[in-house]
Amino acid sequence: MIASPFFGAWSNYRPRREPLVVSTAISVAANCLYAYVHLPASHNKYYMLAARALVGFGAGNVAVVRSYIAGATSLTERTSAMANTSACQAVGFILGPVFQTLFTFIGEKGVSWKIIELQLNMYTAPVLFGALLGIINIILIFAVFREYRVDDMGRPQSSINYEAEETDNESQQNQGSIDHVAVISTNILFFVILFVFAVFETIATPFTMDMYSWTRKKAVFINGIILGAIGIESVIVFLSVKVLSERTGERAILYGGLVIILVGFLVLLPWGNQLPNIQWEDLKNNTIPKVTFSESLAFFWTVQTELPSNTTGETTGCPIIQSWCLYTPVIYLGQYITTVILIGLGYPTCNVMSYTLYSKILGPKPQGIYMGWLTACGSGARILGPVFVSQLYTHLGPRWAFGLICGIVVLSLLLLEVVYKRLVAFSVRNEMLQEENS
C-alpha cells in the first residue's frame, strides 16, 4: 500500500526498468533475509518482520506493470492485455501453494551448508525459490524488456522523453482533463471488490470449523483446495471476459460481476431451524457467555438435546463463547459451495474490469501515480477486510457479517449506477465534450 504510489510516481518520470529492477531486488534481498533469520542470536522475530515488510514493499511494482500495459496498448487491446496479466497472476497464486506443498518433502531438518550458514528446509526453500525467480525476472528485464508507448488508437510513440513531462501535461490540459469523479468512483469500487474477497478469504477457515465441526487441519486443507479451484476458475473467467467485453463493454460486465458477488453473499445468509454443533470446551471451563432470556432458552434446549460427542483430541464445533452459536441457524455446505462458485465468477470479473476501465478513463497521460493509488486502495482493502470480518463475525455472527457485506455491495451497485455514463475512455469523453460545446 505504501510502495505502490512511490514506484508508480517513479515510473512516470524515469524509465520503467529502474523501479522494476529496484523493487524486484528488494524482494530478492527480503527473501534471502528470511532464509537467514535463524542466524542472529536474538530478536529473530524482528528480522522476520522486516523481511516480510520488505517483500510487501517490493510487491508495489504491480502499479508499474499495470501503468506500462496501459501505455503500451490501444483501447481495443487494453482489456485483453489486462486479462492476460490477471490470468498470469492467478496462475501464480495457484502454483505458489503447489510448490510450497512440494517443498514439504524436504522436511523440517533438510540440508545445511555450513560454509554459507544456509539451512535448506521446508521453511526456507519457498523463499529461496522466490529469490531465484526474482533474479530471473531481473535478468529478463535487462535482456527482453523495452520501453514502448502508443496512443489510444495504437499508433507508436517514436520516442519517450521523461524530461518532457511538464510539456505532456500542458498538452493534455489542452486536449481535456481527466474525469476525477470517475477516477475516485473506480477507486472506491476497486476497494470494495478487494475488500469483499479479503473477507471471504479470511472467514473461510473459521467459518467452516464453526458450521461443519471440521478440525483445523481439515478446514485448512479443504479451503486450500477451494481457493485453488477459485484460482483455476478465475483463469477461465479472465480468458472469457476478453471475448465477452467486445460484445457488451466493460461497464456492463463490471455491473454483472457485482451482482454475482451480491447473490453469492445472499445465498450465504443463514435460514432454517437447525443449529450448529456446539463446542463444549468453553462450557467445561465455565466461560458461558452472557445471553438474553430467549437465547438462554435456546442454550438449555441445546444442552438437553445434544451431548458432547468429541471427548478426546481437538474439540470441534461452534465455540459456545460466541453467543450467536446458540440461536443462529447452521449454513449448509451446499450454500457455502454455491457461494464459492459465485465468488469465483464475480471477483475476477470485477477485478480485471475495474482497472481496465480505470486505465481507459485516465487516457494517454503516464498512469504510474494513478495506478499506484488504485493498487494502494486494493492493499488497504486487504488490510481492513480481515479486521472487519474477524471482529463482526466473532461478536455478532454470520447473519450480521454477511448481511453488511451485502449492504456494501448494494451501495457499490448504486454508485456504479450514478457514475455509469462517466466511466468511458478519455478520448471518448473529450469527443463528447467537444460535440456538446459545438
Side-chain angles (χ1 to χ4, degrees), residues 198-232:
V199 165
F200 174 79
E201 198 176 31
T202 304
I203 204 63
T205 297
F207 169 80
T208 50
M209 290 172 64
D210 291 345
M211 291 293 145
Y212 313 124
S213 301
W214 291 353
T215 62
R216 290 186 183 90
K217 183 177 180 180
K218 183 177 180 180
V220 170
F221 177 75
I222 294 179
N223 282 295
I225 294 175
I226 287 173
L227 288 175
I230 290 178
I232 296 172

Side-chain angles (χ1 to χ4, degrees), residues 56-327:
F57 195 85
N61 59 17
V62 68
V64 182
V65 173
R66 288 174 180 167
S67 67
Y68 174 80
I69 294 172
T73 56
S74 65
L75 290 179
T76 56
E77 298 169 330
R78 189 78 46 81
T79 303
S80 177
M82 291 290 190
N84 288 338
T85 305
S86 298
C88 290
Q89 190 176 24
V91 170
F93 281 126
I94 295 169
L95 294 181
V98 172
F99 279 110
Q100 188 166 356
T101 302
L102 293 176
F103 287 136
T104 59
F105 290 104
I106 300 176
E108 292 188 357
K109 187 175 181 181
V111 181
S112 297
W113 280 288
K114 293 184 179 180
I115 299 177
I116 57 175
E117 297 290 339
L118 177 64
Q119 293 181 3
L120 181 64
N121 53 39
M122 60 185 290
Y123 303 114
T124 60
V127 293
L128 291 172
F129 182 63
L132 175 63
L133 292 178
I135 293 171
I136 294 173
N137 272 343
I138 291 174
I139 294 172
L140 290 174
I141 290 170
F142 281 111
V144 179
F145 180 81
R146 64 189 180 94
E147 297 289 342
Y148 186 71
R149 185 175 293 171
V150 299
D151 59 17
D152 285 351
M153 302 303 294
R155 295 183 292 253
Q157 304 297 305
S158 57
S159 61
I160 302 174
N161 185 1
Y162 296 94
E163 296 179 356
E165 185 67 25
E166 294 299 326
T167 304
D168 292 341
N169 287 341
E170 292 176 5
S171 175
Q172 182 167 335
Q173 289 296 330
N174 294 332
Q175 296 174 0
S177 59
I178 295 173
D179 187 347
H180 286 94
V181 173
V183 168
I184 294 172
S185 300
T186 310
N187 275 281
I188 294 172
L189 291 171
F190 191 70
F191 177 90
V192 171
I193 293 163
L194 271 292
F195 181 88
V196 167
F197 187 75
V199 165
F200 174 79
E201 198 176 31
T202 304
I203 204 63
T205 297
F207 169 80
T208 50
M209 290 172 64
D210 291 345
M211 291 293 145
Y212 313 124
S213 301
W214 291 353
T215 62
R216 290 186 183 90
K217 183 177 180 180
K218 183 177 180 180
V220 170
F221 177 75
I222 294 179
N223 282 295
I225 294 175
I226 287 173
L227 288 175
I230 290 178
I232 296 172
E233 186 181 8
S234 298
V235 173
I236 298 172
V237 171
F238 289 137
L239 298 177
S240 301
V241 295
K242 294 194 296 182
V243 179
L244 189 60
S245 64
E246 295 177 359
R247 300 180 179 179
T248 61
E250 289 86 1
R251 294 177 299 178
I253 296 177
L254 176 60
Y255 193 94
L258 283 171
V259 171
I260 291 173
I261 291 174
L262 176 61
V263 174
F265 278 95
L266 285 174
V267 168
L268 210 54
L269 292 176
W271 57 274
N273 299 317
Q274 181 182 346
L275 298 177
N277 295 328
I278 301 298
Q279 185 180 135
W280 296 94
E281 183 176 338
D282 295 319
L283 179 61
K284 296 175 185 177
N285 296 331
N286 298 319
T287 56
I288 302 176
K290 294 181 179 180
V291 295
T292 63
F293 177 72
S294 60
E295 293 167 359
S296 64
L297 291 178
F299 165 70
F300 285 116
W301 172 255
T302 305
V303 170
Q304 294 177 15
T305 55
E306 294 184 21
L307 294 175
S309 57
N310 188 3
T311 57
T312 60
E314 180 183 345
T315 54
T316 59
C318 200
I320 197 172
I321 197 170
Q322 296 176 169
S323 60
W324 56 263
C325 295
L326 303 175
Y327 56 86

